[in-house]
Amino acid sequence: MAVTAPVQLDRKRIQELTEREEKRLNERTPKSAQMYRRAHDVLSGGVASSYQLRAPWPIYMEYGRGPEVWDVDGNRYFDFHNGFGSMVQGHAHPVIEQAVRDRYPLGTHFAAPTEDAVVVGEELARRFRLPKWRYTNSGSESTMDAIRIARGYTGRDTVLKIFGSYHGHHDAVMVSIGVEYDRIGDRENYPSLPYGAGIPKAVSDLTVPVPFNDAGAMERRIERLAAEGRKPACLIMEAALMNLGIVLPEPGYLEAVREITKRHGIVLIFDEVKTGLTIAAGGATERFGVQPDLVTLAKALGGGLPTGAIGGSEEVMSVVEDGSVYQVGTYNGNPLGMAAARASLLDVLTPEAYEHLDRLNERILAGCRAVVERHNLPGYAVGVGSKGCVTFSPEKIVDYETFKAHQDKELCQLAWLYNMNRGIFMTPGREEEWTLSITHTDESVDAYVACFEEMAADLTA
Ligand SMILES: Cc1ncc(COP(=O)(O)O)c(C=O)c1O
């Protein structure tokens, strides 16, 4: 990961290009504008989730096939958004389609376990080397239940999390994310800040943030909390941050976290909602070789159906098994989702599929690095497995503080507009990354690089 000595970019030029590209995108999407006006009458903000908002209107999608999606205006895109990283299998994969078709006429919901749930559990146990599994319907449900299991197991209330890291939309984890730079505060003693209205302070105060890539600061905080009688039940973290672009763990960091949490009897939860199944067969747990006590999955697990899972050691999951923690849900292990997950895990996300993703990601990362070098841009390309991004920053980003201090928000927005106007569907916002699917080819990743090259040339012309 080379950090180049960057050129000084002309901010006025960025502004001009942004205005030009915004106008172009608006002109290309009149039917989305129309749909927005209609949607606004019945959906708050015209969308199904606030993460789908965009001014002046969202781009409404119609269908997807393999690596491509089409919006309601008929614009075709290579999909690098992939449903926030859920569609690593590509859209409408024929193997998953068949599994869903086979399951539907047999009934899709009993609220009783089926064989597919067992098969999926066996495969997840093999991939993540964790023996006991339960299901949910989303990433938020997975992290919510994992935290409850850790609290039940330890009999403690406090939760440690990484400052700036996203783990879903329930109260325990909507804490200290999206914070402005001047409110981050002292890294030895980061504040617990609720994200948005409606989160009781009494609840957010139970969640204590610590910096990523700094095991020393984490241990000192644990010691202070223990001295106050607030020893944490768990640390919930992504082994590689996937919601600040991508921030990889520094060498030795995850091993130190494992050692410290074990020594203090704190349950280590790897939130693999994004990394699980997308950066290796066994997610970050396999890729980085550090074994957590619990993992949380969702997104890619269901191959496009809303399915999540929690995996854990015998010991920690014993509180579910003995009935002291209720891990429940009407749709948990839904047969349709389980049929899709089974087909995806056994017949789609094969060892060859992961080799393909690794090779393609190397190609797109190398292409992006060459563009950065050629134009001496302030940034670097970073990625792992199917995921990657160009981080627009003159400095290497290692945690939330460096992200907020150095990441170039305006360039992120411009890059998104360039992509959308040139047939590359990408996640909006500065925190996200691309996710390749197994149906992507050299052609699709080369299109991404060509678009980046065009923006770089325009910026430095
Ligand atoms: C790391 C991580 N955990 C949890 C979640 C929450 O998942 P969901 O949106 O399915 O509730 C997300 C969603 O982006 C995530 O990125």
Side-chain angles (χ1 to χ4, degrees):
M1 188 161 67
V3 179
T4 56
V7 286
Q8 203 61 24
L9 290 172
D10 178 354
R11 305 316 296 187
K12 225 175 109 232
R13 178 85 179 134
I14 296 176
Q15 192 57 39
E16 279 164 16
L17 291 173
T18 302
E19 280 164 22
R20 184 189 81 186
E21 294 295 321
E22 258 167 9
K23 187 162 171 285
R24 194 164 158 183
L25 184 56
N26 292 344
E27 284 165 4
R28 283 163 55 87
T29 56
K31 287 194 179 147
S32 274
Q34 234 174 9
M35 183 72 85
Y36 175 63
R37 284 192 289 276
R38 180 176 153 204
H40 205 270
D41 285 343
V42 285
L43 304 179
S44 296
V47 290
S49 154
S50 297
Y51 293 138
Q52 297 167 8
L53 287 168
R54 174 194 163 256
W57 54 77
I59 310 302
Y60 291 84
M61 301 311 285
E62 200 153 270
Y63 62 100
R65 205 176 292 133
E68 291 171 310
V69 287
W70 283 258
D71 69 15
V72 293
D73 283 284
N75 295 308
R76 184 169 67 122
Y77 308 80
F78 283 124
D79 192 358
F80 286 79
H81 182 315
N82 271 316
F84 285 128
S86 301
M87 298 311 304
V88 74
Q89 303 87 347
H91 296 284
H93 195 290
V95 170
I96 299 175
E97 179 187 346
Q98 195 55 49
V100 170
R101 276 180 192 276
D102 290 346
R103 179 70 244 182
Y104 192 83
L106 302 177
T108 60
H109 191 61
F110 314 112
T114 57
E115 190 194 1
D116 285 345
V118 182
V119 174
V120 170
E122 286 165 351
E123 177 61 8
L124 292 176
R126 189 188 72 76
R127 288 183 179 222
F128 290 85
R129 291 183 292 152
L130 287 168
K132 282 286 157 74
W133 291 81
R134 276 290 176 94
Y135 300 114
T136 69
N137 306 286
S138 71
S140 296
E141 288 180 32
S142 294
T143 61
M144 180 176 74
D145 287 1
I147 287 171
R148 182 179 297 159
I149 291 166
R151 283 173 161 162
Y153 174 71
T154 57
R156 304 181 204 132
D157 292 342
T158 303
V159 171
L160 276 187
K161 79 181 282 285
I162 301 298
F163 198 102
S165 196
Y166 185 73
H167 299 289
H169 56 266
H170 57 95
D171 291 354
V173 290
M174 289 282 269
V175 178
S176 300
I177 46 181
V179 178
E180 285 313 314
Y181 185 71
D182 56 5
R183 291 190 67 214
I184 296 173
D186 168 17
R187 73 188 273 115
E188 288 292 315
N189 236 342
Y190 279 149
S192 304
L193 303 169
Y195 186 52
I199 298 169
K201 189 169 178 309
V203 176
S204 58
D205 280 351
L206 291 174
T207 299
V208 174
V210 293
F212 190 62
N213 269 328
D214 190 343
M218 182 187 81
E219 182 156 32
R220 289 189 290 279
R221 193 79 194 254
I222 291 170
E223 281 162 359
R224 283 196 299 281
L225 288 167
E228 293 163 17
R230 300 175 60 203
K231 196 166 189 178
C234 60
L235 166 65
I236 183 163
M237 65 182 293
E238 290 188 280
L241 302 187
M242 294 278 155
N243 286 293
L244 302 177
I246 292 180
V247 183
L248 296 176
E250 292 294 310
Y253 169 65
L254 294 176
E255 289 78 2
V257 165
R258 178 65 282 188
E259 189 277 316
I260 292 163
T261 47
K262 196 167 263 171
R263 184 153 40 78
H264 288 272
I266 294 168
V267 174
L268 178 59
I269 306 171
F270 277 176
D271 179 358
E272 296 232 35
V273 166
K274 274 195 162 177
T275 52
L277 314 173
T278 62
I279 70 167
T285 300
E286 175 190 326
R287 193 99 194 187
F288 300 113
V290 171
Q291 193 67 30
D293 301 303
L294 294 175
V295 302
T296 53
L297 299 177
K299 293 201 197 280
L301 177 62
L305 293 178
T307 298
I310 305 159
S313 63
E314 288 284 356
E315 204 186 333
V316 176
M317 292 298 271
S318 67
V319 293
V320 176
E321 198 125 355
D322 70 17
S324 48
V325 168
Y326 294 106
Q327 195 283 324
V328 296
T330 299
Y331 270 92
N332 289 6
N334 169 260
L336 202 59
M338 287 294 114
R342 176 182 180 159
S344 166
L345 290 171
L346 298 190
D347 300 325
V348 179
L349 297 178
T350 57
E352 300 73 46
Y354 288 104
E355 275 166 32
H356 176 69
L357 290 170
D358 277 344
R359 192 192 62 73
L360 270 192
N361 214 32
E362 269 164 37
R363 185 179 177 97
I364 188 171
L365 286 167
C368 290
R369 281 184 190 125
V371 173
V372 167
E373 273 167 37
R374 200 159 35 248
H375 297 275
N376 207 14
L377 291 179
Y380 56 91
V382 52
V384 57
S386 66
K387 290 178 171 283
C389 64
V390 176
T391 296
F392 294 110
S393 165
E395 308 284 333
K396 183 174 166 186
I397 287 171
V398 294
D399 58 13
Y400 188 76
E401 259 178 86
T402 46
F403 174 81
K404 271 310 227 197
H406 302 299
Q407 196 227 30
D408 191 325
K409 198 172 162 179
E410 290 173 0
L411 265 191
C412 291
Q413 172 63 8
L414 183 62
W416 183 78
L417 289 166
Y418 263 75
N419 280 326
M420 293 296 286
N421 283 330
R422 289 159 188 77
I424 306 287
F425 189 54
M426 259 305 281
T427 40
R430 50 193 292 209
E431 291 91 6
E432 292 290 333
E433 66 283 328
W434 69 63
T435 304
L436 306 178
S437 82
I438 60 166
T439 59
H440 279 60
T441 57
D442 287 357
E443 186 202 353
S444 42
V445 301
D446 291 351
Y448 187 101
V449 175
C451 176
F452 182 36
E453 168 65 36
E454 191 180 335
M455 180 181 87
D458 287 350
L459 272 172
T460 53

